[in-house]
């Protein structure tokens, strides 16, 4: 498979932190973009997230490599006055600048769009916030747990009846938002190809969360009648429920109307279709707990392997519920390049998760470890045109910390 590096020659400066912004840059890097990761002195917090509960604990900095692979690393103290000259040259060099600094701090650092576009009118300035650029909470900091999950309504709905809101999967909202930001960047790049003009593109964790919850949010907009929270013993629809097998595996089963008869026959209970308790919609709704109890007994009598064959035979939609340690053994992941080799990270970190986009006939850039703190300071500064004396001056002023340059 050829690797034509779709974004070869595209220059990206990643000033964002944590996951959403940096992961958008990762997608660009997967297709060949040259990405410079700019961190504050001593690096960003994501470097040590592998030591912070409730994240899985590991000596390997897996969150850092996941969100920053394939990038060159630079350390820059934006609070130092002389950092502006470095920022100016980075902006002039870049096609894309990704930022997620809250607006009050962004204004103090002279990092807003109007501050930097004067240096490069063709720049794609990609802006990500917690709650959007306008409104009473525009300046609030936001993580995906607060902005994407809680504020959007998702967290209120992803739980069973009688249970409290729970803690969602780390980075899930961030990574969904990363795809949205990537899409905005590519849209702006396409526009620039047509007009020659740069652009300020933006998304927020809140907007992405509402988009993910949009079926329910749209229902609320038209005053639809909502069912209560999911109760698997008394579901709104037994054809959409979660079941447990004999070997204690949970699975999701979705039976569309055209599959009712084939599934009933396949599980050995065609009589359910003519059972007077379930013979019309009103009776079915009234007797949903009874139907659920019958299906519970049926599905708990055989292991998951049995039901896999049964459901696969009638081509009905189902899925076993897997934990992370099981997911990585799923043959679908390797077969579809969802898990790919990671070069150079060391320790036990030999594989990583590829970005979820594929272009048929095009191989992605092989995944390479994320940079060490300030690893490419000298290389990048020289590429930007700074002389040795000017680089020494940046060190003395504190704009560029005196970090030992590591071999790539």
């Amino acid at each position: 498979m050829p690797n034509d590096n779709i974004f070869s020659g595209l220059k990206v400066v990643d000033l964002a932190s944590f996951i959403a912004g940096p992961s958008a840059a990762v997608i660009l890097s997967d297709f060949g973009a040259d990405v410079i990761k700019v961190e504050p002195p001593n690096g960003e917090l994501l470097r040590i997230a592998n030591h912070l509960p409730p994240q899985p604990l590991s000596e390997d900095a897996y969150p850092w490599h996941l969100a920053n692979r394939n990038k060159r690393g630079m350390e820059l103290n934006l609070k130092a006055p002389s950092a502006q000259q470095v920022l100016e040259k980075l902006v002039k060099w870049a096609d894309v600048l990704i930022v997620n600094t809250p607006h009050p701090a962004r204004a103090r650092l002279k990092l807003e769009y109007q501050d930097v576009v004067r240096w490069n009118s063709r720049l794609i300035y990609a802006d990500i916030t917690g709650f959007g650029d306008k409104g009473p909470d525009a300046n609030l900091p936001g993580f995906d747990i607060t902005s994407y999950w809680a504020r959007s309504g998702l967290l209120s709905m992803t739980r069973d009846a009688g249970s409290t809101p729970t803690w969602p999967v780390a980075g899930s909202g961030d990574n969904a938002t990363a795809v949205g930001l990537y899409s905005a960047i590519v849209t702006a790049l396409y526009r620039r190809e047509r007009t020659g003009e740069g652009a300020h593109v933006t998304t927020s964790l809140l907007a992405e969360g509402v988009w993910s919850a949009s079926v329910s949010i749209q229902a609320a907009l038209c005053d639809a009648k909502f069912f209560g929270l999911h109760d698997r013993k008394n579901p709104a629809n037994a054809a959409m429920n979660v079941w447990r097998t004999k070997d204690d595996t949970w699975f999701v089963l979705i039976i569309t109307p055209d599959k009712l008869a084939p599934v009933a026959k396949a599980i050995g209970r065609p009589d359910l279709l003519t059972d007077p308790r379930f013979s019309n919609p009103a009776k079915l709704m009234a007797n949903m707990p009874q139907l659920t109890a019958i299906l519970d007994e049926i599905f708990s009598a055989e292991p998951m392997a049995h039901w896999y064959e049964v459901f696969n035979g009638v081509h009905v939609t189902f899925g076993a519920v897997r934990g992370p340690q099981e997911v990585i053994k799923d043959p679908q992941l390797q077969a579809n390049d969802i898990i790919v080799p990671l070069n150079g990270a060391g320790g036990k970190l030999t594989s990583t998760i590829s970005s979820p986009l594929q272009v048929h006939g095009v191989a992605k850039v092989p995944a390479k470890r994320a940079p060490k703190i300030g690893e490419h300071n000298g290389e990048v500064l020289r590429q930007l045109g700074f002389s040795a004396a000017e680089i020494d001056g940046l060190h003395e002023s504190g704009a560029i910390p005196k970090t030992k340059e590591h071999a790539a």
Side-chain angles (χ1 to χ4, degrees):
M1 184 182 288
N3 184 342
D4 63 2
N5 289 344
I6 293 171
F7 292 127
S8 179
L10 186 74
K11 295 170 286 189
V12 180
V13 174
D14 173 14
L15 276 166
S17 57
F18 291 101
I19 299 174
S23 292
V26 160
I27 304 175
L28 294 168
S29 79
D30 280 347
F31 290 104
D34 180 4
V35 182
I36 296 174
K37 172 71 179 185
V38 180
E39 297 179 79
N42 303 315
E44 67 162 279
L45 185 60
L46 192 63
R47 284 186 174 274
I48 60 169
N50 50 301
H51 296 299
L52 301 177
Q55 308 318 320
L57 301 178
S58 173
E59 290 303 312
D60 299 313
Y62 61 89
W64 172 251
H65 288 282
L66 179 62
N68 291 285
R69 65 168 178 267
N70 301 340
K71 302 177 185 179
R72 293 190 286 166
M74 186 176 185
E75 218 178 348
L76 178 63
N77 180 10
L78 286 170
K79 296 178 181 179
S82 57
Q84 276 287 302
Q85 60 184 300
V86 180
L87 180 62
E88 178 180 351
K89 290 199 175 186
L90 282 169
V91 169
K92 287 180 175 177
W93 173 83
D95 295 293
V96 180
L97 180 72
I98 301 176
V99 296
N100 71 339
T101 310
H103 281 293
R106 207 183 300 183
R108 291 193 299 271
L109 296 172
K110 297 182 180 178
L111 197 56
E112 294 280 16
Y113 175 69
Q114 61 268 22
D115 296 319
V116 300
V117 71
R118 57 195 171 97
W119 295 323
N120 182 357
S121 62
R122 286 174 52 82
L123 181 72
I124 308 302
Y125 181 96
D127 168 22
I128 187 165
T129 64
F131 299 99
D133 288 331
K134 301 175 183 178
D137 293 335
N139 292 336
L140 284 180
F143 285 125
D144 72 342
I145 177 64
T146 58
S147 307
Y148 179 95
W149 279 100
R151 189 71 173 264
S152 72
L154 277 172
L155 200 60
S156 72
M157 295 182 281
T158 50
R159 55 177 169 143
D160 279 355
S163 63
T164 63
T166 189
W167 204 262
V169 176
S172 51
D174 284 316
N175 281 314
T177 301
V179 177
L181 186 63
Y182 165 82
S183 301
I185 291 168
V186 173
T187 301
L189 287 170
Y190 178 71
R191 175 177 178 268
R192 192 178 74 172
E193 285 296 306
R194 301 178 66 183
T195 67
E197 298 177 1
H200 178 184
V201 299
T202 185
T203 190
S204 68
L205 292 164
L206 175 60
E208 297 287 346
V210 170
W211 180 251
S212 295
S214 58
V215 172
S216 297
I217 303 300
Q218 185 71 63
L221 285 170
C222 66
D223 199 27
K225 180 183 178 181
F226 279 70
F227 291 94
L229 291 171
H230 177 70
D231 179 352
R232 69 161 307 276
K233 293 288 188 180
N234 185 19
N237 186 350
M240 298 182 181
N241 208 349
V242 183
W243 310 95
R244 184 161 55 182
T245 66
K246 185 177 182 179
D247 57 350
D248 206 30
T249 299
W250 288 93
F251 68 91
V252 178
L253 180 63
I254 300 176
I255 310 173
T256 51
D258 60 311
K259 295 293 182 180
L260 286 173
V263 170
K265 182 179 179 180
I267 66 175
R269 293 297 303 270
D271 59 294
L272 292 174
L273 299 172
T274 56
D275 190 308
R277 293 173 295 177
F278 318 127
S279 59
N280 62 54
K283 289 182 178 179
L284 177 62
M285 290 298 296
N287 292 294
M288 201 67 76
Q290 288 86 341
L291 177 57
T292 300
I294 292 170
L295 294 174
D296 262 337
E297 184 176 355
I298 293 170
F299 293 137
S300 65
E302 299 290 348
M304 188 65 229
H306 171 82
W307 296 118
Y308 182 93
E309 296 298 327
V310 169
F311 299 144
N312 203 36
V314 293
H315 204 63
V316 68
T317 303
F318 72 100
V321 177
R322 304 297 192 195
Q325 294 91 340
E326 296 172 288
V327 170
I328 61 174
K329 299 174 184 176
D330 189 330
Q332 288 297 115
L333 273 61
Q334 279 77 19
N336 291 281
D337 294 322
I338 297 171
I339 288 181
V340 296
L342 176 65
N343 298 319
K348 297 180 181 179
L349 196 59
T350 59
S351 301
T352 192
I353 316 302
S354 184
S355 51
L357 310 175
Q358 301 283 353
V359 178
H360 283 284
V362 177
K364 292 180 180 176
V365 173
K368 177 186 174 183
R369 66 168 177 84
K372 299 174 183 177
I373 298 175
E375 180 173 339
H376 303 97
N377 280 351
E379 175 186 308
V380 171
L381 290 170
R382 290 189 293 271
Q383 183 179 357
L384 295 175
F386 287 96
S387 67
E390 288 171 326
I391 293 173
D392 287 340
L394 291 169
H395 287 314
E396 293 300 324
S397 69
I400 303 290
K402 295 181 179 179
T403 303
K404 181 179 178 181
E405 190 169 355
H406 302 273

